Amino acid sequence: MILTVTLNTALDITYRVRSLRPHTSHRVSEVTERPGGKGVNVARVLAALGHEVTVTGFTGGATGRVVREKLAAVPGVVDALVPLSGATRRTIAVVDERTGDTTQLNEPGPTVLPSEWSAFQEAYEDLLPAASAVALCGSLPPGVPVGAYAGLIRTARSAGIPLLLDTSGEPLRRGVAARPDIIKPNADELAELTGSHEPLRATQDARRRGAGAVVASLGPEGLLAATREGRWRATPPTSLRGNPTGAGDAVVAGLLSGLVEHLPWPDRLARATALAAATVQAPVAGEFDRGVYEGLLGRVTVSGEVSAA
């Protein structure tokens, strides 16, 4: 079982409009709702790849009930979310059908009480023995300590469970110091962490700060990885047009699935890149078509060098 942690779950709502223009009314052509938050998105992709996945984190209020109802309909995903007195947040994505661009509005999330944080930590520790890998994903809701991910990483390391961290800012900085097996920042998050805007130098610096491996998302340019085994660059086959929402979560799912299947790094990176590209091309944010993914997989270019160490 792969365990994904989403402390700031959401109900993702997507509106499609013919053309998004400020200061005017819009007729919405389509509305979709689905359970969201980065770890939930990762779990959905992992389940589609055939892995058993358990989702934990927080959920509460009327929005939280909708999230759990919709999550129950996702094959292969087990709900282990912890109840919260506050209401789960919503995220609103508005897709401009003319340009394909997406405008995102993210609510901050409910405040987590100290007793609720303690309840989550107990649930997390109970779930770890059955986990083959863990992903800690997304932002921290109000009330959760800024060093929360660092503590969860140390708990997983004590249990011998490999862990991937996908967050930003101070939670990422503190989390890296706790020595996660993999981090997956985008270019801006990596630059904020290291102070370097040169991706290769920044990935190496992030490893020196404690990360076992660093896989940086470079948007349309693909992935850059610095690991104990070597360094690689994975590039999608074509310049892709579509909705990038959820592409980073597809990368995390590709890396995690490759980890538990013991694939070599070039194969993990090819899978992650193809999944991200298929997600960008999908009509619904964060979904992917299996046929499109399989067609892209063999066309991803992975180049690099194996470490002599």
Side-chain angles (χ1 to χ4, degrees):
M1 176 268 286
I2 298 174
L3 178 65
T4 71
V5 175
T6 312
L7 297 177
N8 213 1
T9 55
L11 179 65
D12 289 344
I13 303 169
T14 301
Y15 297 129
R16 300 185 70 87
V17 299
R18 183 180 298 275
S19 178
L20 181 62
R21 294 169 294 162
H23 316 301
T24 187
S25 297
H26 295 79
R27 186 177 297 277
V28 177
S29 61
E30 183 182 356
V31 181
T32 58
E33 292 185 344
R34 60 172 201 165
K38 293 181 72 63
V40 174
N41 298 337
V42 171
R44 186 184 295 106
V45 176
L46 284 168
L49 292 172
H51 289 275
E52 296 180 0
V53 194
T54 296
V55 171
T56 191
F58 292 110
T59 187
T63 306
R65 287 194 293 274
V66 175
V67 167
R68 300 192 88 154
E69 289 170 2
K70 292 185 176 296
L71 195 60
V74 180
V77 175
V78 175
D79 175 358
L81 293 166
V82 175
L84 190 69
S85 57
T88 296
R89 67 187 178 127
R90 296 161 298 179
T91 69
I92 310 296
V94 184
V95 179
D96 185 320
E97 294 177 335
R98 179 178 57 85
T99 65
D101 293 336
T102 300
T103 299
Q104 192 82 17
L105 303 173
N106 297 329
E107 296 179 358
T111 298
V112 176
L113 302 176
S115 59
E116 293 166 339
W117 175 237
S118 296
F120 168 78
Q121 290 175 291
E122 292 179 8
Y124 176 74
E125 292 180 12
D126 289 342
L127 290 165
L128 278 180
S132 56
V134 178
L136 306 179
C137 303
S139 61
L140 300 179
V144 172
V146 70
Y149 281 145
L152 298 178
I153 291 166
R154 286 191 287 268
T155 301
R157 285 182 59 84
S158 297
I161 310 299
L163 184 142
L164 185 152
L165 175 64
D166 182 16
T167 189
S168 60
E170 187 64 13
L172 174 59
R173 188 184 71 80
R174 297 199 186 193
V176 167
R179 300 174 61 200
D181 295 273
I182 307 170
I183 63 170
K184 193 222 65 69
N186 61 32
D188 291 338
E189 292 162 351
L190 186 62
E192 183 182 8
L193 173 66
T194 65
S196 174
H197 290 272
E198 201 290 302
L200 181 57
R201 180 180 301 170
T203 55
Q204 293 170 324
D205 182 52
R207 285 205 63 220
R208 286 192 292 269
R209 291 168 184 256
V214 181
V215 180
S217 294
L218 304 179
E221 297 178 16
L223 302 176
L224 178 66
T227 79
R228 294 183 183 91
E229 291 83 2
R231 295 176 297 184
W232 290 274
R233 183 75 171 263
T235 308
T238 57
S239 178
L240 301 172
R241 184 178 179 84
N243 184 356
T245 303
D249 303 327
V251 169
V252 172
L255 295 174
L256 278 175
S257 62
L259 170 66
V260 300
E261 293 173 30
H262 307 290
L263 297 181
W265 269 106
D267 291 346
R268 298 186 205 181
L269 296 169
R271 175 182 291 182
T273 301
L275 282 170
T279 300
V280 169
Q281 293 183 316
V284 177
E287 304 287 350
F288 76 96
D289 181 273
R290 187 67 182 242
V292 171
Y293 156 65
E294 292 175 350
L296 289 166
L297 182 59
R299 298 163 55 205
V300 173
T301 300
V302 182
S303 59
E305 57 185 22
V306 176
S307 173

